[in-house]
Amino acid sequence: MMRLYAQTASGALFALRTLFDHSGRSIAGVMSIELALILPALALCIICVADLGLGIYRKMQVQSAAQAGAEYAAVHGYDQNGTTNAILAATSYSGVSAAPQPQLYCGCASATGVVAAACGSICASGSAAGQFVQASASATYQTVLAYPLLPKSFALTAQSTVRIK
């Protein structure tokens, strides 16, 4: 009787060892299943982050194009065609346009920006109104995937203003 009990106990121990054995052979299937479950979610996250990064990069390109137009006006004075060409040539992104066209206007600098004023007038600070050029750039970014609660496309705009006189 004792011998039968010993065989049964050793058989149970063997079954428990086999159940909790962590050798590579017993968990290889589990790892494959985990990978199959996680991989699509991971791939979707990578695509979403890349899409968001590309959208931010496109916005930076639009901002740089507007800044390049203002820099051109600061160096060369107001030249609508030259400023427009500087905006378009500032980036390799073909979707950028110089819209609205660069504008020349007079105004007075204030803490909140430039207040429109008549050319030659005197500002509240006592200085003469200056000439300003406003360069604008715009583009549209289309997302790679359609996201819930977000539009499929975004309008990207930027403006840069510089005093030339």
Side-chain angles (χ1 to χ4, degrees):
M1 181 77 158
M2 189 66 140
R3 190 165 195 221
L4 181 62
Y5 178 73
Q7 286 178 342
T8 307
S10 67
L13 286 175
F14 177 75
L16 284 174
R17 270 193 224 124
T18 305
L19 180 63
F20 294 111
D21 183 20
H22 294 295
S23 67
R25 192 182 84 226
S26 65
I27 63 170
V30 174
M31 289 173 53
S32 298
I33 292 170
E34 288 176 352
L35 181 65
L37 291 173
I38 297 297
L39 197 59
L42 182 62
L44 183 62
C45 286
I46 290 171
I47 290 170
C48 292
V49 167
D51 193 12
L52 176 66
L54 184 60
I56 292 170
Y57 178 67
R58 294 296 187 211
K59 175 64 175 171
M60 289 170 33
Q61 286 180 308
V62 170
Q63 290 170 339
S64 294
Q67 184 65 36
E71 290 171 0
Y72 180 88
V75 173
H76 300 286
Y78 179 69
D79 174 13
Q80 186 173 8
N81 291 332
T83 305
T84 299
N85 291 337
I87 291 170
L88 298 177
T91 180
S92 61
Y93 183 31
S94 62
V96 173
S97 64
Q101 291 291 320
Q103 300 174 5
L104 175 68
Y105 63 96
C106 293
C108 298
S110 70
T112 59
V114 179
V115 178
C119 292
S121 64
I122 302 298
C123 299
S125 65
S127 62
Q131 287 186 341
F132 293 86
V133 174
Q134 183 176 33
S136 302
S138 63
T140 302
Y141 177 70
Q142 300 281 337
T143 60
V144 175
L145 298 174
Y147 300 104
L149 305 176
L150 292 177
K152 179 74 174 139
S153 66
F154 293 90
L156 308 175
T157 60
Q159 294 178 342
S160 189
T161 304
V162 64
R163 182 175 178 158
I164 58 172
K165 287 186 186 179

